[in-house]
């Protein structure tokens, strides 16, 4: 299952438009999130919401808001005037949650590839079921994975 949870900042205000066929609302916005390493530049991603969610995005969210977005990640191919095709990632939003202004965007992207991750996130959004956790002030610092030399003798074919 393709499922992604992303904490980001809105860097382009949501724009609402409608399909020509049945007038379904579509909201599009651009978000930015930190790179996976401190030296990496921030990444940007187009977010699209459909139907009632599109109208909610247009009404509630503005430029500079910090949000947590749940959705599906996809790739679009765009024909460029220069004669080549370009691939761009796009997140189709299923839910959006506002984040307080005091929450830093210093952590790397949180992505989930199973339904259980989004279910556990939803369960945590209920304040009555949220466990109390004391912060030690430590921050998560990702460590590079050890590089192992391939063993060509164990190839199964």
């Amino acid at each position: 299952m393709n499922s992604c949870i992303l904490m980001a900042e809105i860097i382009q205000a949501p724009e609402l438009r409608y399909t020509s066929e049945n007038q379904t609302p579509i909201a599009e916005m651009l978000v930015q999130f930190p790179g996976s390493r401190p030296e990496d530049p921030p990444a940007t991603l187009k977010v699209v919401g459909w139907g009632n969610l599109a109208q909610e995005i247009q009404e509630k969210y503005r430029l500079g808001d910090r949000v947590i977005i749940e959705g599906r990640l996809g790739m679009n191919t765009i024909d460029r005037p220069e004669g080549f095709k370009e691939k761009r990632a796009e997140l189709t939003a299923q839910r959006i949650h506002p984040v307080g202004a005091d929450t830093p965007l210093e952590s790397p992207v949180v992505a989930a590839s199973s339904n259980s991750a989004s279910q556990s996130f939803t369960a945590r959004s209920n304040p009555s079921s949220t466990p109390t956790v004391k912060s030690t002030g430590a921050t998560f610092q990702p460590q590079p994975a050890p590089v192992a030399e391939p063993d060509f003798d164990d190839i199964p074919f």
Side-chain angles (χ1 to χ4, degrees):
M1 176 180 190
N2 180 355
S3 179
C4 184
I5 301 172
L6 175 71
M7 182 167 49
E9 181 177 347
I10 299 173
I11 60 170
Q12 179 186 27
E15 297 176 6
L16 187 65
R17 60 185 175 90
Y18 296 87
T19 60
S20 57
E21 249 180 60
N22 54 6
Q23 297 298 306
T24 302
I26 304 170
E28 295 181 356
M29 63 182 172
L30 204 58
V31 299
Q32 176 177 307
F33 53 91
S36 57
R37 289 182 253 144
E39 64 270 10
D40 291 343
T44 58
L45 182 65
K46 180 179 170 183
V47 176
V48 178
W50 291 80
N52 293 337
L53 181 60
Q55 292 173 329
E56 179 185 332
I57 291 170
Q58 176 65 28
E59 292 168 5
K60 290 185 176 180
Y61 300 103
R62 303 283 176 252
L63 179 70
D65 287 351
R66 293 181 178 169
V67 292
I68 295 176
I69 307 164
E70 297 179 56
R72 295 183 327 265
L73 193 59
M75 296 296 287
N76 288 335
T77 303
I78 300 167
D79 291 325
R80 299 287 304 208
E82 295 87 7
F84 61 90
K85 294 183 180 188
E86 179 181 348
K87 289 188 177 183
R88 290 188 186 167
E90 181 178 285
L91 184 64
T92 302
Q94 295 169 330
R95 290 187 196 111
I96 298 184
H97 309 278
V99 176
D102 58 342
T103 305
L105 276 179
E106 297 172 1
S107 60
V109 177
V110 177
S113 61
S114 70
N115 196 18
S116 63
S118 62
Q119 286 174 347
S120 65
F121 176 80
T122 305
R124 279 190 241 125
S125 65
N126 182 355
S128 64
S129 66
T130 305
T132 303
V133 179
K134 293 184 180 180
S135 175
T136 61
T139 58
F140 173 73
Q141 293 294 327
Q143 299 296 322
V147 178
E149 302 245 349
D151 184 10
F152 295 111
D153 292 336
D154 291 337
I155 297 176
F157 54 148

